[in-house]
């Protein structure tokens, strides 16, 4: 068994492509090797800002041979009256590289055909890898791919070197004007700029000798330990945001922690701002005290060794001080007036052309949030807080701090609301109404944040649809898909008895919500079960009930008795297609005992329990009786049953 190593050396890659590139390479090589019938045990990938690497373990030295059965022309065309091959038959043999005696006849699809058994020699792994590797590299996808020089190839950043080694021998490949070898490059500050790679077995150690930790997982573990140790050295703890850790991990090849500090006076501003300056803008990790209070320290992970720590620290502290000085100035200017006074300024901020100002949107949100609160039967005290949060929810958009730190909209509003003496639940609702900020983000925890958030998102969706600017393809600049999914998840996961259909009178918007709902549910339930549950009735009327129906149907289809249930439900639906129901059945018109029993049971039992009575009805009762009144009465009975089935799902959509 063999081992293969590929390293793609580049100029500094975007941090998010390092992770994406590794995943794509792992999947692409796994799929290509399986398709090529070349056995292997594992494809492992590594990555740094300047390289992507693949190792393939326990790789078979050769493909197994393959025999292909190829169908030729029909025998009546391939042979003449004497049983000799015709030109068509000989041509088929020649095309496959076979002698006539190597062909055979087989009957398929009720006809006799000429067949050829073609033996295909297994190729060596070296030949397969040479064929698939350049293609895999150039098929990687990512944002902002580029061309360079006079080359027509595209990649995330210019490719500068390639290492390609099978066992202990170079396996030559070319990408553009770059030819592979066995020489890689170390860290930019390393005393040894290049290093010879012996093979996959020594790859990580070879790079480590030139200050490169190529294993992303090992590098991440080291950074986490460095952060905890550094924070502990100043009596604090590091809160490590996963997104920031992932970004920093993909920005360094040799991580070194650097502790910086800032004047305690900057802690007077809201913690959200300070953390945003450190983490969001500078990619530094904030340090907290044991009690959870922010300390005046930060940790940066430098892509360097420890020879220049002091200069790095001073430079970082200088940048942080300048940013915090700006934040303090903005904070003091903003807090000279209470938050409510800023609402009037929203009249000068356009929401969307054709949809008025943000002030206009605020009025709509307040009215819609009030209606939603009424639909939820909330008490008057909560309704007043919802109206207040809705009135103030966009006021921070005209503050200096949000203009500078746009990612803090909502959070700044909540802080300023607190400073202005607003109720703390109102302030929390202002902060939460933007949630969730991503498809899998945290949902608003308070009913105030949930209601105001739903109102805000609904207003945006309905407004944009009214302008005929619904999302198309991948284009969704206002995040309408995320907004719709956020509403759906909030209603379902926060157990809200909200009839969304009351607030959506546009069929196109209803379809838009149904699509988001379907995509979300398909992650958990089989597509046909989702289709059946959605097809029975308008799902937006009661999303809680929809989830109960999905669970019911999911369990129902697993039962051995489901076959009979499925047949009964669909037989009733087929009979009722195109028929009219004029009311409930009239007992006086029942002729057969089976229809009397079915009617009594239909009103008392669950649909699953009705199956034997339905089967007995069909075995002994003719629905389309010659007497029109009896016929209609039986149709009314089946219509009642069909409606009962449809309260759960449209079972005709389930694949069985």
């Amino acid at each position: 068994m063999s081992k293969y190593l590929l390293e793609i050396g580049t100029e500094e890659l975007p941090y998010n492509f390092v992770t994406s590139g590794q995943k794509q390479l792992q999947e692409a090589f796994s799929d290509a090797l399986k398709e090529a019938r070349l056995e292997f045990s594992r494809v492992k990938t590594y990555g740094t800002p300047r390289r992507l690497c693949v190792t393939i373990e326990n790789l078979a030295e050769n493909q197994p041979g393959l025999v292909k059965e190829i169908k030729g022309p029909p025998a009546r065309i391939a042979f003449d009256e004497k049983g000799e091959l015709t030109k068509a038959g000989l041509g088929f043999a020649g095309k496959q590289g076979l002698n006539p005696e190597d062909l055979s006849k087989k009957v398929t699809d009720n006809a006799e055909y000429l067949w050829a058994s073609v033996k295909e020699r297994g190729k060596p792994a070296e030949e397969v890898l040479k064929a698939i590797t350049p293609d895999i590299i150039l098929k990687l996808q990512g944002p902002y791919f580029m061309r360079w020089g006079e080359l027509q190839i595209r990649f995330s950043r210019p490719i500068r070197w390639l290492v390609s080694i099978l066992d202990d021998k170079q396996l030559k490949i070319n990408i553009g004007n770059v030819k592979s070898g066995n020489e890689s490059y170390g860290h930019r500050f390393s005393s040894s700029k290049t290093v010879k790679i012996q093979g996959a077995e020594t790859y990580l150690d070879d790079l480590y000798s030139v200050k490169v930790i190529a294993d992303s997982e090992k590098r991440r573990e080291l950074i986490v330990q460095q952060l905890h140790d550094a924070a502990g050295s100043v009596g604090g703890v590091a809160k490590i945001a996963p997104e920031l850790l992932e970004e920093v991990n993909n920005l360094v090849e040799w991580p070194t922690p650097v502790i910086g500090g800032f004047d305690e006076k900057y802690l007077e501003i809201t913690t959200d701002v300070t953390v945003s300056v450190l983490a969001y803008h500078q990619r530094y990790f904030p340090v907290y005290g044991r009690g959870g209070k922010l300390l005046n320290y930060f940790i940066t992970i430098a892509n360097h060794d420890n020879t220049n720590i002091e200069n790095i620290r001073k430079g970082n502290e200088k940048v942080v001080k300048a940013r915090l000085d700006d934040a303090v100035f903005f904070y003091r200017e903003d807090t000279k007036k209470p938050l409510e006074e800023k609402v009037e300024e929203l009249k000068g901020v356009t929401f969307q052309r054709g949809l008025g100002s943000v002030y206009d949107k605020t009025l709509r949100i307040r009215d819609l949030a009030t209606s939603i609160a009424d639909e939820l039967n909330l008490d008057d005290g909560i309704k007043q807080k919802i109206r207040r949060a809705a009135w103030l929810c966009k006021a921070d958009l005209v503050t200096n701090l949000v203009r500078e730190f746009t990612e803090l909209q909502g959070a700044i509003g909540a802080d300023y609301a607190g400073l202005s003496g607003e109720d703390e639940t109102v302030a929390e609702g202002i902060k939460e109404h933007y949630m969730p900020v991503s498809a899998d983000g945290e949902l608003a925890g308070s009913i105030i944040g949930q209601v105001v958030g739903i109102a805000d998102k609904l207003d945006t969706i309905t407004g944009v649809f009214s302008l005929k600017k619904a999302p198309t393809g991948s284009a969704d600049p206002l995040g309408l898909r995320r907004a719709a999914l956020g509403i759906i998840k909030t209603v379902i996961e926060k157990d809200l008895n909200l009839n969304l259909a009351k607030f959506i009178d546009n069929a196109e918007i209803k379809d838009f919500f149904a699509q988001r709902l379907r995509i979300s549910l398909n992650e958990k339930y089989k597509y046909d079960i989702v289709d059946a549950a959605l097809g029975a009735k308008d799902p937006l009327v009661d999303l809680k009930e929809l989830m109960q129906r999905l669970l019911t149907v999911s369990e129902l289809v697993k039962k051995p008795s489901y076959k009979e249930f499925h047949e009964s439900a669909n037989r009733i639906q087929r009979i009722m297609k195109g028929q009219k129901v004029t009311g409930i059945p009239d007992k006086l018109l029942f002729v057969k005992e089976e229809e009397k029993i079915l009617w009594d049971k239909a009103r008392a039992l669950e649909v699953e329990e009705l199956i034997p009575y339905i089967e007995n009805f069909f075995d002994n009762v003719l629905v389309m009786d010659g007497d029109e009144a009896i016929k209609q009465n039986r149709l009314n009975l089946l219509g009642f049953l069909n409606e009962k089935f449809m309260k759960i799902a449209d079972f005709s959509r389930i694949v069985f």
Side-chain angles (χ1 to χ4, degrees), residues 103-116:
L103 301 176
S104 62
K105 289 188 287 184
K106 292 182 185 177
V107 175
T108 183
D109 299 329
N110 297 318
E112 193 173 40
Y113 288 85
L114 196 61
W115 283 82

Side-chain angles (χ1 to χ4, degrees), residues 2-7 53-57 59 126 129 133 162-173 180-184 195-203 206:
S2 297
K3 268 197 171 186
Y4 178 60
L5 166 72
L6 169 71
E7 184 188 63
C53 169
V54 179
T55 61
I56 304 172
E57 300 174 3
L59 181 67
E126 179 178 357
L129 288 169
T133 299
L162 293 165
V163 174
S164 176
I165 301 174
L166 182 61
D167 293 328
D168 57 353
K169 296 180 180 178
Q170 294 185 42
L171 190 152
K172 294 293 185 179
I173 60 169
S180 67
N182 64 351
E183 190 174 79
S184 183
V195 59
K196 280 200 167 36
I197 305 297
Q198 305 305 312
E201 294 282 3
T202 65
Y203 175 70
D206 291 339

